[in-house]
Amino acid sequence: RIPAVEGQNRKLAESLGDLQQRDWRIQQENDQLKDLVNQHSVRAHTLELELDRLREQLERMKPEDPAIKDALGRLQQENESLRARLYSMETTLQQADDVRARAEG
């Protein structure tokens, strides 16, 4: 009977080690995702500031300069694209947090 208990304990210890290793990997991925979300958030903020600056320039100009309108349009598209990617990353990050919470619970 003692060898059977020792065998069970060994299997449980291996399972615990596997779970701890998996949790560590999930935490590393989560940290990487958070860093990426932060980078995109900073980029989105920078683009918003640049858009505001260009809008002000555009309002002051008579007649309107097509090059500035084109640049503004490109920045708006890039801003929208980054917002969509940022939302997707935040959703992925939340899902990873949920998975980890369920695994820990």
Side-chain angles (χ1 to χ4, degrees), residues 15-55:
S15 293
L16 178 60
D18 291 344
L19 286 174
Q20 288 172 331
Q21 203 170 32
R22 183 175 174 214
D23 183 55
W24 182 81
R25 280 194 309 270
I26 289 171
Q27 286 178 3
Q28 294 299 313
E29 291 172 8
N30 194 9
D31 290 345
Q32 290 173 350
L33 284 173
K34 284 180 182 177
D35 289 344
L36 194 55
V37 166
N38 286 336
Q39 290 171 10
H40 284 289
S41 181
V42 168
R43 177 70 176 140
H45 179 70
T46 301
L47 283 173
E48 286 182 37
L49 293 175
E50 181 67 11
L51 278 171
D52 289 344
R53 186 184 68 77
L54 286 173
R55 282 187 188 111

Side-chain angles (χ1 to χ4, degrees), residues 21-97:
Q21 203 170 32
R22 183 175 174 214
D23 183 55
W24 182 81
R25 280 194 309 270
I26 289 171
Q27 286 178 3
Q28 294 299 313
E29 291 172 8
N30 194 9
D31 290 345
Q32 290 173 350
L33 284 173
K34 284 180 182 177
D35 289 344
L36 194 55
V37 166
N38 286 336
Q39 290 171 10
H40 284 289
S41 181
V42 168
R43 177 70 176 140
H45 179 70
T46 301
L47 283 173
E48 286 182 37
L49 293 175
E50 181 67 11
L51 278 171
D52 289 344
R53 186 184 68 77
L54 286 173
R55 282 187 188 111
E56 289 174 12
Q57 281 183 0
L58 189 58
E59 288 175 13
R60 289 192 306 259
M61 297 181 75
K62 301 280 184 211
E64 294 179 349
D65 184 344
I68 290 190
K69 286 181 84 172
D70 289 345
L72 180 60
R74 283 193 304 275
L75 282 171
Q76 286 173 329
Q77 288 174 345
E78 186 177 353
N79 188 29
E80 290 169 12
S81 174
L82 279 173
R83 282 182 182 275
R85 287 177 60 197
L86 185 59
Y87 176 78
S88 174
M89 288 178 183
E90 288 171 344
T91 301
T92 301
L93 186 59
Q94 183 60 48
Q95 290 170 348
D97 282 342

